[in-house]
Amino acid sequence: MKEPLIYDLSSPGRHGVTMPEPDVPLTELPADLLRDDLDLPEVSEIDVVRHYLRLSQRNYAVDRGFYPLGSCTMKYNPKLNEDMARLPGFAAVHPYQPLETIQGALAVMYEVQQWLGELSGFDGISLQPAAGAHGELTGVLMMRRYHLDRGDEKRTKILIPDSAHGTNPASTTMSGLNVVEIPSDDRGNIDLGALRAECDNTVAGIMITNPSTLGLFDENLEAVIAMIHDCGGLVYGDGANFNALMGIVRPGDLGFDVMHFNLHKTFATPHGGGGPGSGPVGCLAHLSPYLPGPIVGANLDENGEHMPGDYYLTMPQKTIGRVKAFYGQFGVIVRAFAYVLVCGSDGLRHASEMAVLAANYLRVRLRDTYHVPYDRVSMHEFVAEGHFADAPDIHALDISKRLIDYGFHPPTNYFPLIVPEALMIEPTETESIETLDAFAEAMLAIAREAREQPELLHDAPHSAPVKRLDEVAAAKNLILCCRPVFNVDEGK
Ligand SMILES: *Cc1c(COP(=O)(O)O)cnc(C)c1O
């Protein structure tokens, strides 16, 4: 059946809401606020409900199916977190309220700061940054300020392994420092020889994505950290994918000086479509004075307890300043609070263990069919090649598009750059063995199709509302208007 477009249903005088009788005097609306050019459809409530439900069904979401988009941690986000974030005491507070009226909100922020510190081994935490990349920029600016503060002005180099997340070089460049790329060795670790060659008194630091975008824990991590520290540099950790390590190893104990978390990934906030996020930064004591603020502090009573009324806001002594208006992404912080409270420390560790187990299960199920170039025990994700020697016309993109027909979201494609035709697969800890098996079966079936019916892959997806798009144009020239500007049924 052809789906009606909302404009086709418009009929003059039809409406979807009944306004209550006004309890204020009526006045004319200023004529310049009335825009005839909007040409809005006049429709009833049920037409609107069906319109939006139809649109939502054209979309793919974690709540609809498996979403193994590597590095993005598209795991299930418990609905309880949503309920908590919507409690009026959290959702309706205003950032200009006097502190004595938002003690509960400050208590939540304080606890999240404490918990992140405990999980990571860091002394200072700021909840200010609004996303992972924003946390990176914050951390690099802190490193830069630390060196400048000591009169160490030569340090302008940030070393970045080629297995780092793409935001790392971008954040460094934005901070005004220079990126020097370090190659990986044949086990996917940072190449120690190449690293040693760059270690001098111009190194501001290194940014290590750990686990790397290959899904690997660097086997020489301690040597890398020591080498950087020995030449006077600082070590930044990209902790966006903390669900591989949480409750098992603490970056602060390993010698990382500063790191960001992605609350929206690890601590379960839905984050498709670019938001909302939260990228708190944690650091060891020597960097704490540079953290952005405000940070929540607490006065302890004689029993060492803190109570409502005890929470205050503070700016670290040598702060790099504010990086976000007011108090960070409060709604995401509430969700993280609820998530940690429900999981408890055992639950958080269990989440990491399951994330790692799921990734390794899929790696082993697929590795005889899809070449896994760095085939050793992985962390929360692994990278396979979407290419077969005996089906040279098939590319990673074809495999990904065909997965849509099997009802799965594609993995991350063509990243990391050091793996040709990369398929970066992150199953997350929230999927059942049945779902992992169904995905593995689909991948194996697609590998057979690649040899026997390659056109099935080339023309995929066959089942989606739109077929192959120019993805860059689709993202850059996003059409947000509900006027039919293309024919959905023909996929053009
Ligand atoms: C997602 C991710 C980032 C960036 O986080 P955003 O919140 O999207 O800015 C950085 N590094 C890694 C390893 C990531 O997975």
Side-chain angles (χ1 to χ4, degrees):
M1 190 189 86
K2 191 166 162 42
E3 292 177 352
L5 289 160
I6 192 119
Y7 278 93
D8 301 338
L9 301 173
S10 181
S11 176
R14 206 171 268 172
H15 54 89
V17 284
T18 308
M19 300 296 283
E21 283 300 313
D23 56 359
V24 291
L26 292 179
T27 58
E28 289 293 311
L29 278 175
D32 58 348
L33 291 183
L34 294 170
R35 292 172 54 192
D36 288 336
D37 58 321
L38 283 181
D39 185 22
L40 295 170
E42 296 181 59
V43 289
S44 61
E45 182 172 324
I46 191 170
D47 296 329
V48 174
V49 168
R50 286 179 179 160
H51 171 71
Y52 283 110
L53 192 67
R54 264 197 305 268
L55 287 184
S56 75
Q57 287 168 340
R58 287 196 179 142
N59 219 337
Y60 194 89
V62 183
D63 287 355
R64 260 187 76 173
F66 186 48
Y67 205 135
L69 190 66
S71 211
C72 294
T73 313
M74 303 304 279
K75 66 184 184 184
Y76 176 70
N77 304 289
K79 298 296 167 261
L80 177 73
N81 300 352
E82 301 306 309
D83 292 343
M84 296 303 108
R86 282 167 180 72
L87 287 175
F90 293 138
V93 286
H94 192 281
Y96 278 134
Q97 269 177 242
L99 289 194
E100 62 270 21
T101 69
I102 55 163
Q103 285 293 309
L106 294 181
V108 165
M109 293 177 65
Y110 181 81
E111 292 301 341
V112 172
Q113 288 172 194
Q114 297 295 107
W115 292 339
L116 292 179
E118 194 175 322
L119 282 167
S120 62
F122 288 124
D123 304 300
I125 303 280
S126 171
L127 302 177
Q128 282 270 300
H134 194 197
E136 292 170 28
L137 176 66
T138 301
V140 177
L141 288 174
M142 289 165 59
M143 289 160 63
R144 181 168 172 260
R145 183 67 65 83
Y146 171 85
H147 292 305
L148 291 178
D149 233 26
R150 295 153 51 97
D152 205 351
E153 291 170 9
K154 288 193 299 296
R155 295 190 181 270
T156 54
K157 275 198 313 202
I158 297 276
L159 312 181
I160 302 187
D162 59 7
S163 64
H165 195 263
T167 47
N168 294 186
S171 307
T172 296
T173 304
M174 265 187 102
S175 77
L177 298 174
N178 303 321
V179 175
V180 176
E181 187 175 288
I182 306 292
S184 302
D185 67 17
D186 54 10
R187 287 187 59 78
N189 297 318
I190 297 172
D191 187 300
L192 290 180
L195 185 68
R196 193 173 295 112
E198 290 293 343
C199 280
D200 56 27
N201 63 2
T202 66
V203 171
I206 189 169
M207 288 184 94
I208 307 177
T209 303
N210 189 54
S212 71
T213 59
L214 296 168
L216 299 176
F217 194 101
D218 197 298
E219 293 165 312
N220 306 319
L221 190 62
E222 283 167 315
V224 169
I225 291 174
M227 217 184 272
I228 297 296
H229 284 160
D230 285 348
C231 75
L234 296 168
V235 179
Y236 186 93
D238 180 331
N241 303 125
F242 198 43
N243 63 331
L245 310 176
M246 181 172 58
I248 297 169
V249 65
R250 305 200 316 163
D253 298 344
L254 290 172
F256 283 92
D257 297 284
V258 49
M259 183 186 96
H260 77 268
F261 305 83
N262 275 34
L263 295 191
H264 46 296
K265 292 179 183 169
T266 311
F267 298 91
T269 286
H271 59 274
S278 173
V281 166
C283 62
L284 294 180
H286 53 280
L287 287 178
S288 296
Y290 302 96
L291 281 169
I295 287 171
V296 182
N299 295 310
L300 305 184
D301 68 15
E302 60 274 15
N303 302 320
E305 301 281 330
H306 31 84
M307 301 288 289
D310 293 340
Y311 300 100
Y312 59 89
L313 294 173
T314 170
M315 284 306 266
Q317 201 193 352
K318 298 176 174 178
T319 180
I320 60 163
R322 287 173 180 268
V323 296
K324 169 108 176 60
F326 300 115
Y327 309 128
Q329 291 292 43
F330 183 64
V332 181
I333 296 167
V334 174
R335 288 171 177 85
F337 178 80
Y339 182 74
V340 173
L341 211 53
V342 167
C343 288
S345 46
D346 291 349
L348 295 175
R349 182 187 171 102
H350 186 63
S352 299
E353 289 169 347
M354 294 308 286
V356 170
L357 183 61
N360 281 289
Y361 180 75
L362 280 183
R363 178 179 59 83
V364 172
R365 279 217 62 184
L366 296 179
R367 68 176 169 192
D368 293 337
T369 308
Y370 290 85
H371 181 229
V372 176
Y374 300 92
D375 192 16
R376 58 182 170 90
V377 174
S378 71
M379 297 286 106
H380 63 299
E381 66 192 3
F382 68 100
V383 179
E385 286 182 15
H387 193 246
F388 310 104
D390 57 347
D393 290 343
I394 295 295
H395 297 281
L397 189 69
D398 301 314
I399 294 164
S400 285
K401 294 294 182 191
R402 184 65 180 142
L403 269 170
I404 295 172
D405 291 333
Y406 281 87
F408 298 111
H409 194 285
T412 296
N413 275 214
Y414 301 120
F415 202 86
L417 300 174
I418 50 177
V419 175
E421 301 288 336
L423 292 173
M424 187 208 264
I425 299 171
E426 180 185 8
T428 84
E429 64 272 24
T430 54
E431 300 296 335
S432 66
I433 185 87
E434 289 81 6
T435 300
L436 300 180
D437 279 333
F439 176 76
E441 291 303 331
M443 288 291 285
L444 300 179
I446 292 170
R448 285 192 297 275
E449 290 171 352
R451 278 78 173 206
E452 292 159 12
Q453 290 172 280
E455 67 289 351
L456 266 183
L457 277 68
H458 284 139
D459 299 339
H462 302 269
S463 63
V466 288
K467 308 299 178 233
R468 290 236 183 160
L469 297 173
D470 175 339
E471 295 183 1
V472 176
K476 288 202 161 172
N477 307 322
L478 191 63
I479 297 163
L480 292 167
C481 164
C482 59
R483 274 285 186 203
V485 291
F486 69 95
N487 189 331
V488 172
D489 296 313
E490 288 173 12
K492 293 187 196 144

